[in-house]
Amino acid sequence: MSQLYQRLLENNKTWVAKRIASDPDYFLRLSESQSPKFLWIGCSDSRVPANEITGTEAGDVFVHRNIANMVVHSDMNLLSVLDYAVNVLKVRHVIVCGHYGCGGVKAAMGNSNIGIIDNWIRHIKDVYRFHYRELDAIEDEKVKFDRFVELNVVEQVMDLAKTSIVQGAWNKEQDLWIHGWVYDIRNGLVKDLEVNFGSNEELPDVYKLEII
Ligand code: CO
C-alpha cells in the first residue's frame, strides 16, 4: 500500500487529536444529531470543497455532488437528498454551486464521444440549446465557457424550483430559498448569480404544480 494512501489515515488521527484538544465535546455533540441549515448541490470536482470555501464546519451543510452540479429530475440520488434535506432536516437554503473551468460543462461544449458520461453531459447540452443565441454570439471561447457555466447554474436552480419537493415546501409556506453561485477556481471567490427564489412565482405556468 502506498504512503500516499496511508497518509490519509495518519491525517485523520492528527485531526481528531487537534479537534479534541480545542473542543473536548466536539464529537460527542456532533454524534447526537445534525441540523444543517444549508443543502449544497455542487460539482464533484476535487477543487470545490463545500465546507472549506464557505468557512463552515461539519454539521453545517448537507451535501450532494455530481458532475457539473446537475439537478436531473429522474436522478433518484438527487431527489432523495433533496427530499430528506427539505422535508426532514428542513434546511432553509439550497445552493447550487457551479465553478468556472468545469470539465463537465467544457465537455458539453464539444462533440467528443466519451462513454456513458455522454448521457449525463447531454443534460448540460440542453442548457446550451436553451441559450444558444446568447452563447453562439460570444466569440471568445473562454468568455463563452464562463457564461455557459453560469447559465448552467441558473437552469439547475430553475430545475430545483420545478421539483414537486421544492414546490410542496413552498406550498406549505416553509421558509425555503434556492440560490445559484459560481465558484472561481482561479481566485477562490464565489460569485452570487442572484437567482434567489422563495416561491414558485417566477416559474412559467406550465411548471406550477397544484399541490394539495
Ligand atoms: Co465541475
Side-chain angles (χ1 to χ4, degrees), residues 42-45 47-48 66-69 98-105:
C43 184
S44 299
D45 192 301
R47 298 166 294 180
V48 195
N66 62 37
I67 291 171
N69 39 270
H99 67 102
Y100 297 120
C102 183
V105 174

Side-chain angles (χ1 to χ4, degrees), residues 75-92:
D75 177 0
M76 278 304 295
N77 188 347
L78 178 276
L79 293 177
S80 303
V81 169
L82 182 63
D83 184 38
Y84 190 74
V86 170
N87 291 321
V88 180
L89 296 172
K90 301 236 180 329
V91 297
R92 290 186 60 195

Side-chain angles (χ1 to χ4, degrees), residues 39 72 120 125 138 150 154 162 178 196 202:
L39 166 61
V72 174
W120 187 257
K125 287 181 181 286
I138 303 172
E150 293 174 359
V154 172
K162 293 170 196 167
I178 58 178
N196 309 298
E202 306 283 332

